[in-house]
């Protein structure tokens, strides 16, 4: 097994460090909305520091808002990366490798629309209720989108992450409750001129309220909680032609998509 150094970027000075699987990784002290990884396996968080209060970007006394309102650009480059945008409108690009991409856990705070690119490799995008309408372009490989309740610190709202063994050494993933998610998914073909393949919608189970529409392109798998709850459903988008998603067990998810299987419970 090739071991690669795990590096964590972007939590900012206010947080100082993040705990992953019991190991402490120091955050990098910089002030920029651009967070770049390395050729190895990285754990990247948005900094959320490009705001009006940051006089580097918004000089004191300036009337027009010069900030990006907590927007970040996260570039994973090579490696099996974990990218978490946190707040604001973020652009996340995993690059080559099997990446886990989370736009953020905005929990209905605005703005919360994220653009996520998997790149080459078998990538997994994780979305939780309240985290905004998104774009996920999977790229080459077998890519999946998971709709689940992401585990997070209830004070900081930062997703809980853990380290697992991967083909290229230790790598970070988030964890999420798939079976306990509050809704179910529907699929509609995207307009032919939109550039997307599917519109994946998440509907709240208790009152059939539409919570999100995620635009996807180059994505092969969708995993969601079921209409009835306490179980899971999925669609293989390479063969899907319409109708309800099919039942699936957690064990089967681990068989067909080990990376998604390491995330959900």
């Amino acid at each position: 097994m090739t071991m690669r150094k795990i590096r964590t970027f972007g939590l900012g000075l206010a947080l100082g460090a993040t705990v992953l699987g019991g190991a402490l990784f120091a955050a990098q002290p910089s002030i920029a909305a651009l967070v770049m990884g390395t050729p190895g396996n990285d754990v990247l968080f948005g900094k959320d520091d490009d705001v009006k209060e940051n006089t580097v970007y918004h000089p004191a006394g300036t009337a027009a808002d010069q900030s990006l309102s907590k927007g970040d650009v996260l570039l994973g480059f090579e490696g099996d990366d974990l990218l978490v945008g946190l707040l604001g409108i973020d652009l996340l690009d995993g690059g080559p490798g099997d990446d886990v991409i989370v736009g953020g856990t905005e929990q209905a705070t605005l703005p919360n629309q994220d653009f996520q690119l998997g790149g080459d490799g078998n990538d997994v995008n994780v979305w939780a209720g309240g985290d905004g309408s998104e774009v996920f372009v999977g790229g080459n490989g077998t890519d999946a989108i998971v709709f689940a309740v992401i585990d997070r610190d209830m004070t900081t709202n930062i997703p809980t992450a853990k380290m697992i063994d991967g083909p290229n050494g230790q790598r970070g993933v988030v964890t999420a409750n798939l079976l306990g998610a509050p809704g179910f998914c529907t699929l509609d073909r995207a307009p032919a001129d939109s550039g997307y393949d599917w519109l994946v919608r998440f509907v709240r189970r208790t009152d059939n309220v539409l919570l999100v529409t995620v635009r996807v392109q180059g994505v092969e798998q969708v995993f969601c909680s079921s209409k009835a709850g306490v179980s899971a459903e999925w669609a293989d988008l390479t063969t899907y032609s319409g109708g309800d998603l099919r039942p699936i067990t957690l064990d089967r998810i681990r068989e067909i998509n080990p990376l998604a299987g390491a995330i959900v419970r």
Side-chain angles (χ1 to χ4, degrees), residues 112-116 125 127-136 145 147 184-191 194 196-204 209-217:
N112 60 6
Q113 296 83 24
D114 301 306
F115 300 85
Q116 300 157 103
N125 174 222
W127 183 91
D131 293 341
S133 294
E134 314 270 313
V135 167
F136 177 44
I145 183 168
F147 291 78
F184 59 93
C185 292
T186 65
L187 292 166
D188 294 303
R189 280 283 184 188
S194 69
Y196 302 115
D197 299 326
W198 295 94
L199 304 177
V200 188
R201 307 187 194 276
F202 187 77
V203 180
R204 190 162 56 201
V209 168
L210 175 63
L211 296 182
V212 71
T213 297
V214 178
R215 299 140 179 86
V216 303
Q217 195 272 334

Side-chain angles (χ1 to χ4, degrees), residues 76-101:
F77 298 118
E78 293 85 2
D80 301 334
D81 306 312
L82 168 61
L83 281 64
V84 182
L86 297 182
L87 302 179
I89 297 176
D90 301 311
L91 172 63
L92 302 91
D93 186 348
D98 299 341
D99 305 306
V100 175
I101 302 176

Side-chain angles (χ1 to χ4, degrees), residues 28-254:
Q28 304 300 306
S30 60
I31 50 169
L34 178 60
V35 183
M36 295 189 292
T38 70
N41 298 348
D42 300 306
V43 177
L44 309 180
F45 285 79
K47 292 188 175 74
D48 287 351
D49 65 352
D50 199 325
V51 293
K52 289 183 68 173
E53 293 75 19
N54 186 338
T55 57
V56 171
Y57 302 110
H58 183 86
T62 304
D65 188 352
Q66 307 297 305
S67 79
L68 294 180
S69 300
K70 300 184 179 179
D72 295 294
V73 176
L74 279 63
L75 305 177
F77 298 118
E78 293 85 2
D80 301 334
D81 306 312
L82 168 61
L83 281 64
V84 182
L86 297 182
L87 302 179
I89 297 176
D90 301 311
L91 172 63
L92 302 91
D93 186 348
D98 299 341
D99 305 306
V100 175
I101 302 176
V102 181
T105 49
E106 292 96 345
Q107 295 298 289
T109 61
L110 298 174
N112 60 6
Q113 296 83 24
D114 301 306
F115 300 85
Q116 300 157 103
L117 310 175
D120 292 346
N122 303 322
D123 308 304
V124 177
N125 174 222
V126 189
W127 183 91
D131 293 341
S133 294
E134 314 270 313
V135 167
F136 177 44
V137 178
N140 294 326
T142 299
D143 303 299
I145 183 168
V146 174
F147 291 78
V149 179
I150 300 171
D151 297 322
R152 56 192 173 90
D153 184 289
M154 299 304 291
T155 300
T156 66
N157 219 28
I158 294 174
T160 303
K162 68 176 182 178
M163 304 306 296
I164 64 171
D165 291 326
N168 298 307
Q170 287 251 300
R171 52 95 27 90
V173 298
V174 295
T175 56
N177 186 350
L178 173 63
L179 301 186
F184 59 93
C185 292
T186 65
L187 292 166
D188 294 303
R189 280 283 184 188
D193 61 351
S194 69
Y196 302 115
D197 299 326
W198 295 94
L199 304 177
V200 188
R201 307 187 194 276
F202 187 77
V203 180
R204 190 162 56 201
R205 186 178 298 111
T206 54
D207 53 10
N208 287 322
V209 168
L210 175 63
L211 296 182
V212 71
T213 297
V214 178
R215 299 140 179 86
V216 303
Q217 195 272 334
V219 174
E220 286 73 35
Q221 298 172 342
V222 174
F223 298 104
C224 202
S225 53
S226 67
K227 284 187 177 181
V230 304
S231 61
E233 297 178 337
W234 83 300
D236 179 348
L237 297 182
T238 65
T239 60
Y240 180 81
S241 58
D244 292 338
L245 280 66
R246 293 182 293 161
I248 192 170
T249 64
L250 294 181
D251 286 341
R252 182 58 179 155
I253 293 175
R254 286 187 279 268

